[in-house]
């Protein structure tokens, strides 16, 4: 199965059912294939997102400047997500944002993206926020992938790169690696 920082990732789904939606993720991370297959069906009636998340124990190395992903998509625009999973009992204003980046795909084409941590958009409850906070790689405790009605900017994900009604989706993650600041130069 897909490994990151030498560890097998333990994926779980978080779909729009938490808000009454009917979308469903069926992710597969098998020992036969060294990849993660994030797939399922979106239903835009009463919802419109599917996601998978995995804990990242111990965070990223302190010199991490970017993430390198190798993937095969279906022509849809997904989002890559990171979080320190700090959820405050005092409400959303006291919790840390998630950090997101759109991941456009081409149908059936293997692609590689290097996503700089300083290019990620801070987000709370599905929308971008203005904050002076900076992402700290050592505090990242969760990574995820999402297909959503909304892009990282908060704008609508167009039907051409999302879908409409009830439709399937498929994203295969072949590898995930950290990239140090030295490797970026």
């Amino acid at each position: 199965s897909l490994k990151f920082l030498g560890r097998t990732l333990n994926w779980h789904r978080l779909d729009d059912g938490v808000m009454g939606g009917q979308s469903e993720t069926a992710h597969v991370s098998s020992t036969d294939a060294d990849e993660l297959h994030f797939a399922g069906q979106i239903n835009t009636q009463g919802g419109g997102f599917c996601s998978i998340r995995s804990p990242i124990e111990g965070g990223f190395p302190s010199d991490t400047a970017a993430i390198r992903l190798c993937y095969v998509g279906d022509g849809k625009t997904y989002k890559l997500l990171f979080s320190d999973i700090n959820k405050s009992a005092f409400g959303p204003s006291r919790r840390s944002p998630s950090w997101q980046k759109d991941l456009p795909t081409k149908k059936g084409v293997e692609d590689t993206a290097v996503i700089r941590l300083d290019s990620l958009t801070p987000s709370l409850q599905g929308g971008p926020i203005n904050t002076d906070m900076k992402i700290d790689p050592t505090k990242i405790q969760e990574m995820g992938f999402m297909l959503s009605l909304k892009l990282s900017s908060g704008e609508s994900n167009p039907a051409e790169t999302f879908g409409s009604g009830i439709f399937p989706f498929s994203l295969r993650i072949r590898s995930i690696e950290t990239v140090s600041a030295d490797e970026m130069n």
Side-chain angles (χ1 to χ4, degrees), residues 13 15 24-28 37-41 52 169:
R13 70 184 202 168
D15 297 337
E24 190 169 353
T25 298
H27 66 279
V28 178
H37 188 199
F38 171 39
Q41 180 172 282
I52 51 173
F169 66 91

Side-chain angles (χ1 to χ4, degrees), residues 10-15 17-18 23-27 38-39 49-54:
N10 184 19
W11 297 97
H12 64 277
R13 70 184 202 168
L14 179 63
D15 297 337
V18 299
S23 301
E24 190 169 353
T25 298
H27 66 279
F38 171 39
F49 77 88
C50 283
S51 71
I52 51 173
R53 319 278 172 111
S54 177

Side-chain angles (χ1 to χ4, degrees), residues 11-170:
W11 297 97
H12 64 277
R13 70 184 202 168
L14 179 63
D15 297 337
D16 60 17
V18 299
M19 300 168 25
Q22 301 173 46
S23 301
E24 190 169 353
T25 298
H27 66 279
V28 178
S29 184
S30 71
T31 52
D32 300 342
D34 289 336
E35 68 178 25
L36 169 71
H37 188 199
F38 171 39
Q41 180 172 282
I42 296 270
N43 184 337
T44 59
Q45 302 302 310
F49 77 88
C50 283
S51 71
I52 51 173
R53 319 278 172 111
S54 177
I56 304 293
E57 293 184 27
F60 292 0
S62 60
D63 66 346
T64 302
I67 298 294
R68 183 181 299 113
L69 294 172
C70 181
Y71 58 94
V72 177
D74 56 5
K76 295 177 175 31
T77 298
Y78 293 82
K79 292 192 277 194
L80 172 64
L81 314 167
F82 298 107
S83 171
D84 67 6
I85 62 174
N86 176 16
K87 295 184 174 37
S88 172
F90 299 105
S93 65
R94 299 278 180 97
R95 71 183 232 209
S96 300
S98 67
W99 299 86
Q100 306 181 356
K101 184 71 174 182
D102 294 337
L103 186 66
T105 69
K106 299 175 196 111
K107 186 173 185 165
V109 176
E110 185 170 298
D111 206 351
T112 299
V114 176
I115 298 170
R116 296 182 60 92
L117 296 185
D118 62 12
S119 74
L120 299 171
T121 301
S123 175
L124 277 178
Q125 298 177 320
I129 60 166
N130 288 325
T131 180
D132 292 333
M133 294 178 76
K134 301 284 184 227
I135 191 167
D136 178 346
T138 65
K139 295 206 162 97
I140 293 172
Q141 296 296 308
E142 185 178 67
M143 173 174 24
F145 294 93
M146 174 183 273
L147 181 59
S148 171
L149 281 164
K150 300 288 183 186
L151 298 170
S152 298
S153 65
E155 296 174 14
S156 293
N157 194 347
E160 307 85 64
T161 59
F162 178 64
S164 62
I166 300 171
F167 57 91
F169 66 91
S170 174

